[in-house]
Amino acid sequence: MPNSPIQRALENDFVVVTGTGAARRLLTVELHSEDKEKPVGQVCQLGASWGSSIYISFLLELRSSYFVIMIVFDASTLILIAKADLLDLFLTSITVSVAIPGEVEKECCSSKKALDAIIIQKALDESRIEVFTLRNRRLVAKLRTDFSLGRGEAEAIALGLDEKAQIVGIDDKNGIDACKVLGIAFTTALGILIRSREKGLLEKPDAIAKLALLAKYGRYKHSIIEDARLKLEAKP
């Protein structure tokens, strides 16, 4: 919803990319509001173009006085920002809930000796990241089949839909494609780095050093890294 309070809130925090074109043709949105005291319900239902055998409905409840926004992470982005020493900075700079599904927790913390696993586990132990149990297993299976996703990616996207999250952090290519098709706002590790720099949370040398770590551990094309470098260096 361009220019909506939610969209403005998201843009004030971290880079958000939303699905357009085909996604808008797939989604039917109905808004109902009788008075300011009642929640506004937004029901988004996927059309038959995504599969006539399943319809996904989720309710986003908003009140005129506040907005609850949750960020859901896939393992790809969470591990990358941990490796680049961005996770603590990110969690400190936001005021919204951060959640992951159970499969993402397993993927991130299975290697007990890896530094990124220790960093993520510490955030979990401190309740800075919350683990959610997926309720809609049929949705997970459908996402895996339709978009060739791993279990972690499918659970992250399903959790985003199930818990009414407004943004998904994901660096997996198929997962990003799924978000575009489904019209789900998403960000990446590079997006988080660039926005952190734009918000003045990082000085240029630190930002460039973290970009080098993302280039080392991420599966980014050289052109994408160079574009990110230009954006990081553009801020005085």
Side-chain angles (χ1 to χ4, degrees):
M1 294 185 294
N3 299 320
S4 70
I6 283 184
Q7 186 66 24
R8 291 196 297 272
L10 289 171
E11 289 172 348
N12 286 336
D13 280 316
F14 289 85
V15 173
V16 177
V17 183
T18 56
T20 57
R24 291 183 180 178
R25 291 192 294 272
L26 285 172
L27 293 171
T28 301
V29 180
E30 297 179 1
L31 296 177
H32 303 282
S33 178
E34 295 182 2
D35 57 55
K36 292 183 179 179
E37 298 301 320
K38 294 183 179 180
V40 178
Q42 179 187 14
V43 179
C44 296
Q45 190 174 68
L46 285 172
S49 297
W50 187 44
S52 58
S53 63
I54 184 171
Y55 288 90
I56 302 170
S57 297
F58 61 96
L59 180 66
L60 172 61
E61 291 187 347
L62 309 176
R63 292 188 185 275
S64 58
S65 60
Y66 67 93
F67 297 90
V68 179
I69 303 176
M70 175 188 288
I71 299 175
V72 172
F73 274 108
D74 172 49
S76 56
T77 304
L78 194 56
I79 290 172
L80 281 173
I81 62 175
K83 285 181 177 293
D85 195 22
L86 274 169
L87 181 58
D88 183 67
L89 179 70
F90 174 79
L91 294 175
T92 300
S93 65
I94 63 173
T95 57
V96 300
S97 300
V98 177
I100 58 174
E103 183 63 26
V104 169
E105 179 189 21
K106 292 178 184 177
E107 293 178 4
C108 290
C109 302
S110 58
S111 178
K112 301 294 184 181
K113 295 182 180 180
L115 180 58
D116 55 276
I118 294 172
I119 292 171
I120 294 169
Q121 186 61 60
K122 182 174 183 290
L124 289 168
D125 292 342
E126 294 173 349
S127 299
R128 302 175 78 188
I129 301 175
E130 186 176 355
V131 180
F132 277 63
T133 300
L134 258 296
R135 295 174 295 191
N136 195 339
R137 289 293 170 183
R138 289 182 59 193
L139 175 56
V140 174
K142 182 65 175 174
L143 288 168
R144 294 191 69 185
T145 299
D146 286 3
F147 297 105
S148 300
L149 300 178
R151 183 175 296 278
E153 291 79 22
E155 284 199 7
I157 293 173
L159 180 61
L161 292 170
D162 214 21
E163 295 296 332
K164 304 171 265 302
Q166 290 306 296
I167 182 170
V168 173
I170 191 163
D171 275 79
D172 178 79
K173 183 182 183 302
N174 289 352
I176 289 173
D177 289 343
C179 287
K180 289 178 179 178
V181 171
L182 299 175
I184 299 171
F186 68 90
T187 190
T188 64
L190 278 177
I192 290 171
L193 172 61
I194 292 168
R195 189 59 180 140
S196 296
R197 172 74 176 129
E198 290 174 346
K199 292 175 71 176
L201 301 176
L202 290 169
E203 296 297 325
K204 183 161 67 175
D206 290 338
I208 296 300
K210 294 182 188 305
L211 177 64
L213 290 172
L214 291 180
K216 177 181 179 181
Y217 294 111
R219 298 176 181 177
Y220 299 111
K221 293 180 180 178
H222 178 72
S223 59
I224 294 176
I225 293 295
E226 288 308 306
D227 180 64
R229 186 187 305 278
L230 292 175
K231 291 178 180 178
L232 294 176
E233 292 177 343
K235 182 177 173 61

